[in-house]
Amino acid sequence: MERIRTAVIGTGFMGRVHLEALRRIEHVDVVEVAATSAEKARAAAAGYNVLNATGDWQDVMRDPSIDAVHIATPNDSHFPIAKAALEAGKHVLCEKPLAMSSAQAQALTDLAAAKKLRNALCHNLRFYPMVQQMRAMREAGAFGEILVVQGTYSQDWMLYETDWNWRVDPKVSGPSRVMADIGSHFFDMAEHVTGLKVSAVCSDLQIFWPTRKQPKGGGETFSGKTVGETIDTKIVTEDFGTTLFHMGKARGAMTASQVSAGRKNGLVLEIYGTKGGASWRQEAPEELWLGHRDAPNQVLMKDPSLLDRHAAAFADYPGGHAEGYPDTHKQLYRRFYASIADLSAKPDYPQFVDGLRQMKILDAELASHESRAWVDVPA
Ligand code: NAI
Ligand code: SOE
């Protein structure tokens, strides 16, 4: 098989996750790293054994030998970088959220389709084996008709007034913080697992810190305590949100929070149907709780030899050999690159159209909060 040449743009938390996961993908070579300075790019490139480094992502677009790019930069740069990459004929794997607005997300979705290029959105959390098991069981009818969908995405890393990150700045992050940043993962997973679409939402968003202490030197994701001088900065995006939602006849409720003490990456998805229920937690991802009305409840432990055949394809290690967050990236990228190697294959990963879908849900959540009313989500 011909080798595929790729580049990673952004060398923060996600840039390093992408670089690491890419080393586990067969037939793919990372040939360039782009950062905000040549020095930063060189440091990351050296660490991951990548030959070329640049402080200007446009260099990647100018190199016709590069087939694909990963975009792992803050949200405001996704649109210009993805647009330039598609225009340069490159396949794109972009971090979530896809863009700053639905209009941008629609434009990227249309451009990728017009150029017939592969486009993936990094909703990697779908790729935990036990999430796939929940989906496969739902598809096989194990839970009957889905009545209730509920859960949360709870973190604590923005609990203090002194906690800061670019996600707080709407010019960089967009008009929403927690709903865009982590609520979108919840809804992507909920729709993927249930096969249902969110049809209407009623949202309430809350800013607990109307001002935050912005460090003069900035702060990277999950970097911990702020040190040094700070400036009091007005906050306009939510620390917490709750959304009631309809998925056709099914009813649901979710919360998203970056101020829930003790919860580090607490995504929980629960689905309840006419025949049974299931609950999955990201903080214990190898387990799937199964609920029964007339029999003892069960906890299924990941073991590919015992999983549904489809779900087993998302597990590379035997039972008792835990697979976690980095493995979800590997599973996603593997499928993305397989679809580049075989351009006739049907993509089996989230695409830009799924990013557009999340932007539409987000627009409805923001409109609902603003109007204090239910808002329909367009199909
Ligand atoms: P970060 O702040 O840790 O890293 C961002 C990096 O991008 C920084 O090193 C910054 O210098 C660099 N950068 C900014 N503008 C750039 C440009 N024009 N060219 C090259 N580099 C540039 O942020 P983090 O957490 O890595 O987030 C990046 C993206 O990944 C965000 O869109 C975020 O929503 C997404 N994300 C997704 C996760 C997932 O599980 N799928 C997890 C964490 C973040
Ligand atoms: C920060 O809230 C963050 O890194 C998100 O940006 C990711 O998408 C999520 O997976 C983990 O938390």
Side-chain angles (χ1 to χ4, degrees):
M1 186 187 280
E2 254 182 61
R3 299 194 70 81
I4 300 169
R5 291 164 61 83
T6 196
V8 173
I9 303 175
T11 58
F13 172 30
M14 269 310 104
R16 294 189 298 270
V17 168
H18 284 236
L19 282 162
E20 193 181 296
L22 276 163
R23 295 186 65 92
R24 302 168 76 188
I25 310 299
E26 288 178 10
H27 311 298
V28 175
D29 296 318
V30 185
V31 295
E32 186 149 35
V33 171
T36 42
S37 71
E39 195 191 349
K40 262 178 88 170
R42 271 196 300 273
Y48 290 93
N49 217 10
V50 177
L51 217 51
N52 301 315
T54 173
D56 176 5
W57 59 263
Q58 305 267 14
D59 286 343
V60 172
M61 309 310 160
R62 287 189 276 264
D63 182 343
S65 79
I66 294 178
D67 305 299
V69 300
H70 286 232
I71 303 173
T73 54
N75 306 349
D76 61 331
S77 51
H78 294 180
F79 177 74
I81 299 177
K83 183 167 177 287
L86 292 169
E87 281 167 348
K90 301 185 191 310
H91 307 283
V92 180
L93 192 155
C94 184
E95 266 305 342
K96 43 54 62 180
L98 176 56
M100 298 284 273
S101 67
S102 290
Q104 285 186 348
Q106 182 74 62
L108 289 177
T109 306
D110 293 346
L111 182 59
K115 294 276 185 185
K116 296 191 170 48
L117 289 162
R118 296 303 195 185
N119 53 99
L121 190 74
C122 202
H123 275 303
N124 54 302
L125 307 183
R126 286 184 189 190
F127 289 82
Y128 281 105
M130 299 315 274
V131 171
Q132 290 301 323
Q133 175 69 16
M134 187 166 23
R135 180 173 200 248
M137 291 180 71
R138 191 273 304 157
E139 279 182 335
F143 310 122
E145 184 188 2
I146 301 302
L147 305 176
V148 175
V149 179
Q150 59 195 44
T152 186
Y153 202 141
S154 299
Q155 303 177 329
D156 70 0
W157 68 295
M158 297 299 288
L159 175 60
Y160 300 139
E161 189 185 18
T162 46
D163 291 327
W164 186 267
N165 183 260
W166 58 259
R167 286 171 180 77
V168 165
D169 180 352
K171 290 199 288 303
V172 184
S173 189
S176 152
R177 182 162 18 112
V178 300
M179 287 312 195
D181 190 37
I182 51 179
S184 62
H185 277 310
F186 175 87
F187 281 120
D188 179 75
M189 189 179 288
E191 290 196 339
H192 180 67
V193 166
T194 62
L196 301 172
K197 293 278 176 219
V198 176
S199 47
V201 297
C202 179
S203 299
D204 176 47
L205 311 179
Q206 175 67 350
I207 298 169
F208 291 112
W209 292 113
T211 60
R212 281 182 182 265
K213 307 253 174 234
Q214 177 177 8
K216 283 197 171 157
E220 278 205 349
T221 313
F222 297 119
S223 58
K225 283 204 184 97
T226 296
V227 284
E229 267 189 88
T230 61
I231 313 160
D232 280 355
T233 302
K234 188 172 172 337
I235 300 303
V236 295
T237 57
E238 74 282 4
D239 297 310
F240 173 87
T242 181
T243 294
L244 300 177
F245 56 92
H246 294 175
M247 289 178 123
K249 181 175 151 191
R251 293 293 182 264
M254 64 81 80
T255 56
S257 170
Q258 289 177 335
V259 292
S260 296
R263 288 291 170 216
K264 303 304 171 188
N265 213 16
L267 170 56
V268 178
L269 175 66
E270 301 194 333
I271 61 175
Y272 298 98
T274 49
K275 291 189 186 164
S279 172
W280 176 84
R281 296 194 304 129
Q282 182 168 226
E283 290 181 343
E286 295 270 289
E287 295 175 359
L288 180 66
W289 177 92
L290 298 175
H292 308 290
R293 161 74 185 261
D294 299 321
N297 295 336
Q298 297 166 294
V299 177
L300 212 64
M301 190 177 170
K302 186 211 77 184
D303 179 344
S305 68
L306 301 173
L307 293 183
D308 171 277
R309 190 175 48 83
H310 174 79
F314 292 77
D316 284 356
Y317 296 97
H321 298 72
E323 283 164 278
Y325 180 81
D327 299 276
T328 63
H329 283 268
K330 179 188 69 177
Q331 295 292 345
L332 168 48
Y333 306 177
R334 176 186 289 166
R335 286 164 175 79
F336 174 65
Y337 284 100
S339 79
I340 293 175
D342 175 3
L343 288 170
S344 66
K346 192 166 173 277
D348 51 357
Y349 48 81
Q351 300 180 78
F352 283 8
V353 71
D354 300 282
L356 172 60
R357 169 93 198 127
Q358 288 311 316
M359 296 305 300
K360 288 182 182 171
I361 295 175
L362 185 64
D363 285 349
E365 289 177 301
L366 293 174
S368 164
H369 171 71
E370 198 58 38
S371 61
R372 299 169 74 92
W374 280 87
V375 172
D376 289 339
V377 179

